[in-house]
Structure formats: C-alpha cells, structure tokens
Amino acid sequence: MASMALPPSTASPLQAFVRAQFLTKPAPPPLSTCLAGQTAIVTGANTGIGLAAVGSLLRYHTSHIIMASRSLEKGEAAVAPLRRKYPDAQIEVWQLNMLSYESIRDFAKNCSNLVRLDKVILNAGVAMGNFVINKTTGHEATFQVNYLSTALLAILLLPILKSKRQGHTPGRITIVASGLALQSQFANRDAIPLIPSFDDPTGWGVAASLERYGLTKTLVLMLVQKLSENVDSSEVTINAIEPGLVGGSGLQQHAPAYIRAIFRFVHSIAARSTEQGAWAYVDAVAVKGQESHGGLVLNWNIHPFHPMMYEPNGKQVMERLWEETMEELEFSNARGIIDSMRKAH
C-alpha cells in the first residue's frame, strides 16, 4: 500500500522530468550492502540497464545470478566479461521469450528447481514503433510483453520466492516501470471487456506507440498494487522501479529514425548512465525494505502512482483489469496461486 497511501502527485510532466534528471543526484547502494550467498534473477539481462544491473548485483557479492535472455547466444556473449571479472560467482544464462507463455512457464519451472531464490528484477520490456500482433497469443506485442507476460512471470515466481527464500527474510520482486506510466491517457479505460481493446489497431501511429508504452507501464503499477494487496510483504515484498531517463537502454530500437534521433539528443543532455540506472534497480530490490511493498520507487523515494488510480473510476478499472488478467492467465492457475499466497496471511 506504499504508493496508494500517498496523495496523488500534482507535478507536471516537465516538472517531474526536471526533478528526476537535473535535481536528483543518483546514489549507489550503501557500501554495507552485501548479497553474499543470495540468488537473483534479472530478465532482459543481455543489454542495457539489465546487464548493468547484473554487474551491480555482482559488485555487491551476489553469489548466483540467472540472466534471462531471449537469445542464449547474445546472453552468453554479454556474460563472458562478467564471468572473467567475478570468477567466484555462478552466472547462468537461461532462455526466456516474453512473447511466449510456454517459454515463461518453462522458465518458472526451471526456477522451481533452484536451491535458493532471493531477488527478482523483471526488467524485460519493449516499445514497439508499429502495431504488431503477437501470433502465439493474439495480443498486441507491447501489451503482451510489458503487462500480460510480466504479470504471468511475477505470479509464477511468487510461491517459488516464498519457498526458496532464506530464513524469515522476504523474497523480493521488483518490476521495472517508467515515468511515462504516470502520464498515460488510458483512453480505452471504459472498454468492456478491457483486454481485447488493447488489440485494436485503430489510430496507431508514433504518438499512439509512445502512449501505449506508457500505458502498459501504468498497468504494471496496477499489477504491483493488486499483488501487494494479495501477498504478505513478510513473505514476498513487491515494488516497481522507475530508473529515470537512462541512456543505452535500447528501448527505442523499434521507433522511427527521427524518434531515435530525438531521444539521442535528449539523452545527450539529460540521461543517467546505465550504471546509475542499475543503482536504482539494486536500491529497489535490495536496499528498500517491506515499507516499499506496493510502492513505486522513483528518484530513490516512494512516489505516488498515476493520479487516475486514486479516483473511483480508476479503482474500478484496476479491479476489472485484475479480474480479466486472472481469466487470461487461468491456464497457468494464476488465481489459484494468488489464493494460496493470500491464505498465508
């Protein structure tokens, strides 16, 4: 309930950007941070902030890291320098395709065989420049990866984190959000049913693709809130992280050339480094405690959610989205898993 306990933010998008990129000094985790003996998972880990987060976790002595990558070849190439630098750590590359429910279920099944699991950073995400339907599920790709697949993986990992954590220390899931999550218009919020409305190509263009990316991250905030309502923070602590504008993230790779050029210019004057972005990840998953459960960590502090989420209509939308998500993921017993976590309260 961390973010929902705060009043909605009244900052404009420009004010929020200036505060994040120019008035906030990125801070590395305290030197006292020690993750020795722990096992961590980072998705989307072969490039950008995900790869930097793996390096940061290793610097704080994480003993075993699972790097999840769509391409095993790219993952192995990315991990080679880290294995040389940290020879005492066990670093594995596991395949994970966030466009495939089957791949996600296989990945979670492999996680269930781990001796220990302490921390998970769900970093994998896309920002499609064009409307693309994911053939395996029938859903639009940005919505599929950033929300539906992320929800499935988070839910499947909950009982594993609960059972594989060490002692009475909570397992941790941090899901990567975005500042754009606080600004989305959510024009389809009143659609009934809601999920099919994300698969409508009407009006799709550059502006719509940016809105869609931000909106899927708003849905991530709703997911974090609903998970926090159903999961005991003493068993698994769940939060979201907004690392700020970070250069080298690769998110704009699907955007038109002129959009990429604009982002390159903005990055040149305002972006944080991938290392600073990784600091934010580690802060959220390892430094912040149970007080961050159900919270968005932004600029190293708990920050309010999208203003809509505090309004009666927005709360109704969140409930409908949750129910439809449970139905969409029924094949994986998502509701049963959530019920099992709730019964432990």
Side-chain angles (χ1 to χ4, degrees):
M1 299 294 290
S3 286
M4 288 299 287
L6 300 173
S9 174
T10 58
S12 70
L14 179 59
Q15 288 172 326
F17 181 80
V18 170
R19 183 179 300 149
Q21 304 305 133
F22 298 105
L23 302 181
T24 299
K25 184 178 180 180
L31 293 176
S32 58
T33 304
C34 182
L35 306 177
Q38 297 193 25
T39 297
I41 293 171
V42 182
T43 68
N46 66 286
T47 188
I49 316 176
L51 181 59
V54 172
S56 192
L57 288 168
L58 289 167
R59 279 192 291 278
Y60 290 94
H61 311 294
T62 305
S63 298
H64 184 191
I65 292 185
I66 309 298
M67 294 177 60
S69 173
R70 185 175 181 179
S71 165
L72 287 177
E73 183 179 2
K74 291 180 179 178
E76 291 292 346
V79 78
L82 292 173
R83 284 183 175 142
R84 290 193 292 269
K85 188 173 182 179
Y86 300 97
D88 294 333
Q90 182 182 2
I91 312 171
E92 298 184 74
V93 179
W94 290 6
Q95 190 165 39
L96 174 63
N97 180 0
M98 293 291 282
L99 288 168
S100 165
Y101 284 147
E102 182 179 4
S103 177
I104 294 165
R105 294 174 78 183
D106 287 345
F107 181 86
K109 184 177 181 180
N110 289 335
C111 292
S112 69
N113 295 322
L114 292 168
V115 173
R116 177 173 177 174
L117 181 58
D118 303 272
K119 293 177 170 56
V120 174
I121 300 175
L122 298 185
N123 165 72
V126 297
M128 302 298 294
N130 299 307
F131 182 85
V132 177
I133 287 290
N134 176 33
K135 294 180 180 179
T136 64
T137 64
H139 295 299
E140 188 274 321
T142 305
F143 174 63
Q144 179 68 62
V145 171
N146 295 356
Y147 177 68
L148 287 175
S149 292
T150 295
L152 174 60
L153 183 54
I155 291 168
L156 291 178
L157 291 177
L158 284 172
I160 300 172
L161 277 160
K162 177 184 173 181
S163 64
K164 305 288 184 177
R165 63 197 171 110
Q166 187 71 13
H168 298 292
T169 302
R172 301 295 302 269
I173 297 182
T174 290
I175 307 178
V176 176
S178 167
L180 294 176
L182 303 175
Q183 304 166 24
S184 68
Q185 300 302 304
F186 207 159
N188 59 323
R189 69 177 70 177
D190 294 326
I192 298 176
L194 184 58
I195 284 179
S197 70
F198 288 96
D199 304 325
D200 184 352
T202 304
W204 191 271
V206 173
S209 67
L210 291 174
E211 161 67 13
R212 173 55 56 91
Y213 175 76
L215 176 52
T216 58
K217 295 301 186 176
T218 304
L219 304 184
V220 162
L221 300 184
M222 292 183 171
L223 173 67
V224 166
Q225 174 59 28
K226 291 302 298 180
L227 289 175
S228 73
E229 292 175 8
N230 287 282
V231 177
D232 191 331
S233 65
S234 68
E235 294 176 344
V236 183
T237 300
I238 305 156
N239 59 30
I241 178 63
E242 162 19 13
L245 181 67
V246 176
S249 66
L251 263 178
Q252 293 81 41
Q253 61 181 317
H254 299 294
Y258 76 93
I259 292 292
R260 295 199 301 272
I262 292 172
F263 271 98
R264 280 196 298 270
F265 172 74
V266 175
H267 284 173
S268 70
I269 61 174
R272 294 170 180 167
S273 67
T274 52
E275 180 183 33
Q276 291 169 337
W279 292 347
Y281 283 17
V282 176
D283 174 73
V285 83
V287 179
K288 295 289 187 291
Q290 288 178 239
E291 77 284 352
S292 71
H293 188 59
L296 168 64
V297 183
L298 186 154
N299 300 331
W300 281 258
N301 293 297
I302 306 300
H303 188 277
F305 284 144
H306 192 298
M308 179 196 66
M309 294 172 62
Y310 298 84
E311 302 167 357
N313 176 260
K315 291 180 179 180
Q316 291 174 5
V317 172
M318 182 162 56
E319 293 301 324
R320 285 197 291 116
L321 175 68
W322 176 253
E323 284 303 312
E324 290 189 32
T325 302
M326 292 298 100
E327 292 174 10
E328 169 76 15
L329 304 180
E330 188 59 36
F331 66 90
S332 65
N333 190 34
R335 197 185 299 273
I337 293 172
I338 294 297
D339 286 345
S340 73
M341 298 297 294
R342 186 186 300 119
K343 290 174 183 175
H345 281 210

